[in-house]
Amino acid sequence: MNQTSPQLRTATYSHVIHSFPSKTQPSTMDFDAPPIPFSHVTTPTSPIGASIVAVESILNYSFRNKSLLEEALTHSSYSESASYQRLEFVGDAALGLALANHVFLTYPKLDPGQLSLIRAANISTEKLARVAIKHRLFYYVRHNAIGLEQKVREFAEVVSQEDDPVAYGGSMKAPKVLADIVESIAAAVYVDIDFDLTKLWLQEPQPVTLLFEFCQKHGKHVDIKHWRKELKSIASVYVDGKFVASGSSDQKEIAKLNAARGALYKLSESMPVDVNAFGIMEIDGSFEIVSNAKQKLHEICGKQKWPKPLYELEKDEGRPHEKKYVSSVKIPTVNGTLYIAGDEKSRVKEAESSAASYMIRALQESGYL
């Protein structure tokens, strides 16, 4: 394919990708482990020593005082050892303070109500419970509670069957015990590092946080309003006083998350890509389409905390039996929209797969993967 100067939607559909910010990695736990299949939720058979080793591996942290982690992995129904209840109390406060410090320093122009909204969204029961599911933490907890395992199993099954990776709110209310486990383990680390908050940082961007970051970057004011209609909670997002999107759910916090997610998509589509802001990368020539490229790109976006890729036909020409298609793919991010177009193909699905393949290649060559 001949290349010309890179532009958005160029006539020759050159493969151009824009807006790559610098990549950062979380300092401790990777929140993107694959969800646990519900069939794997079972009473642990390994001794506590093996559980401690396994959880330390998940955390990538070795405890000086192993008994702290043992306590964090012990439910109150297990009477032979101290339970995690005291640690849970500390973990709840420590995570709340860590998030409060972060949002205070990161968003100097936001008022207390907005800061509280971001903090609450990042340490909600739903979010922490999904962290526990992703990292199979319940497997290592000692308990003798009848019915507890079944609740976790049902929740894990719902999570495993979701079409999209829903990191912040789904169709079933999360069991509180899962959030308690995460808080207790976080507290165990916090105590083991001598209560040093600067070393305790477990952070995963989520829709409400990303929305505020996105709008702050573009000089816009965000307001999320909430009300109830019969049994449903409804949240609406307003940007600079104008309605953008709304979301609903049986739970207030999930309604806010749904509204923020919808607003991110609309805002990222309406704001043009600045082709000079982050530099430009060109990919010369065509190459073989990556197997299951669209699914793989979807998974990459989940790991990078990006919204789902958006595909759009750039070219649709030819007689019915000689159709030619070119598809592009866009990924909205806080720092801009990533964009690239694929090769000309005879089917829409193949055109989209080509675009996804080029995006994956561009991400690889940019050091993201």
Side-chain angles (χ1 to χ4, degrees):
M1 179 179 292
N2 295 327
Q3 297 290 329
T4 61
S5 299
Q7 295 178 351
L8 284 177
R9 310 181 193 279
T10 59
T12 55
Y13 308 100
S14 58
H15 304 293
V16 181
I17 188 161
H18 307 292
S19 306
F20 278 99
S22 59
K23 182 181 180 183
T24 58
Q25 296 290 345
S27 58
T28 49
M29 185 183 294
D30 174 13
F31 283 109
D32 291 311
I36 177 174
F38 77 96
S39 60
H40 291 176
V41 179
T42 181
T43 303
T45 57
S46 58
I48 189 63
S51 295
I52 288 174
V53 171
V55 175
E56 284 184 329
S57 177
I58 292 171
L59 297 173
N60 193 26
Y61 175 78
S62 180
F63 280 82
R64 295 178 299 173
N65 183 355
K66 307 291 184 184
S67 64
L68 285 170
L69 185 54
E70 179 179 351
E71 186 174 327
L73 297 175
T74 304
H75 187 260
S76 59
S77 62
Y78 190 86
S79 58
E80 298 176 24
S81 180
S83 77
Y84 59 56
Q85 288 180 315
R86 282 172 54 83
L87 285 173
E88 176 200 341
F89 168 77
V90 174
D92 178 54
L95 290 177
L97 182 56
L99 259 297
N101 291 345
H102 172 71
V103 298
F104 178 80
L105 295 172
T106 305
Y107 309 106
K109 296 182 179 180
L110 297 188
D111 62 43
Q114 294 171 318
L115 295 175
S116 296
L117 182 62
I118 296 175
R119 179 186 62 182
N122 278 278
I123 56 173
S124 66
T125 296
E126 177 77 25
K127 178 172 181 178
L128 296 181
R130 286 171 176 264
V131 171
I133 289 294
K134 286 182 180 180
H135 294 281
R136 302 160 171 82
L137 295 178
F138 183 78
Y139 177 82
Y140 304 105
V141 174
R142 301 184 293 183
H143 73 91
N144 290 317
I146 298 175
L148 185 63
E149 182 178 324
Q150 181 62 29
K151 289 181 180 179
V152 174
R153 180 188 296 272
E154 291 173 356
F155 181 69
E157 180 177 6
V158 169
V159 171
S160 69
Q161 293 179 349
E162 289 170 343
D163 293 332
D164 298 328
V166 183
Y168 313 105
S171 59
M172 179 180 177
K173 187 175 182 179
K176 183 178 179 296
V177 63
L178 293 174
D180 293 344
I181 294 167
V182 175
E183 290 176 340
S184 301
I185 292 175
V189 174
Y190 180 53
V191 175
D192 200 56
I193 58 177
D194 297 326
F195 303 92
D196 188 345
L197 270 181
T198 62
K199 296 179 181 178
L200 180 72
W201 185 232
L202 308 178
Q203 166 75 6
E204 179 185 7
Q206 52 88 265
V208 174
T209 304
L210 290 173
L211 176 62
F212 275 96
E213 289 180 352
F214 187 93
C215 290
Q216 179 174 275
K217 182 177 180 65
H218 291 87
K220 296 182 176 294
H221 175 77
V222 181
D223 187 20
I224 301 180
K225 298 181 179 180
H226 171 266
W227 72 93
R228 292 194 67 86
K229 184 177 181 180
E230 297 178 351
L231 299 178
K232 287 285 186 180
S233 290
I234 301 174
S236 294
V237 175
Y238 294 83
V239 176
D240 289 343
K242 296 181 180 179
F243 172 80
V244 177
S246 65
S248 64
S249 174
D250 295 335
Q251 302 174 54
K252 178 179 178 180
E253 293 304 319
I254 295 179
K256 291 179 182 177
L257 294 169
N258 291 338
R261 188 180 294 112
L264 278 171
Y265 274 115
K266 288 189 176 181
L267 290 171
S268 62
E269 288 183 317
S270 64
M271 293 180 181
V273 178
D274 182 353
V275 299
N276 297 315
F278 302 96
I280 296 173
M281 168 182 293
E282 293 192 23
I283 299 178
D284 297 323
S286 62
F287 64 100
E288 185 177 352
I289 293 177
V290 176
S291 176
N292 299 320
K294 290 182 65 177
Q295 177 62 30
K296 289 180 179 178
L297 182 59
H298 183 95
E299 293 171 356
I300 289 169
C301 289
K303 291 182 178 181
Q304 296 289 343
K305 317 299 185 301
W306 294 333
K308 293 187 296 184
L310 304 173
Y311 294 90
E312 182 178 346
L313 278 180
E314 301 277 352
K315 178 180 178 181
D316 180 355
E317 298 178 355
R319 299 175 182 177
H321 60 287
E322 297 177 347
K323 279 283 191 178
K324 297 296 181 182
Y325 303 97
V326 172
S327 177
S328 65
V329 59
K330 294 190 296 185
I331 304 175
T333 73
V334 170
N335 290 315
T337 299
L338 310 182
Y339 168 92
I340 200 165
D343 286 326
E344 187 178 87
K345 298 293 180 181
S346 59
R347 299 176 60 189
V348 173
K349 287 185 178 180
E350 292 177 353
E352 292 179 345
S353 294
S354 175
S357 296
Y358 274 106
M359 179 66 83
I360 292 171
R361 176 173 168 179
L363 291 169
Q364 290 171 335
E365 295 186 0
S366 299
Y368 270 75
L369 307 179

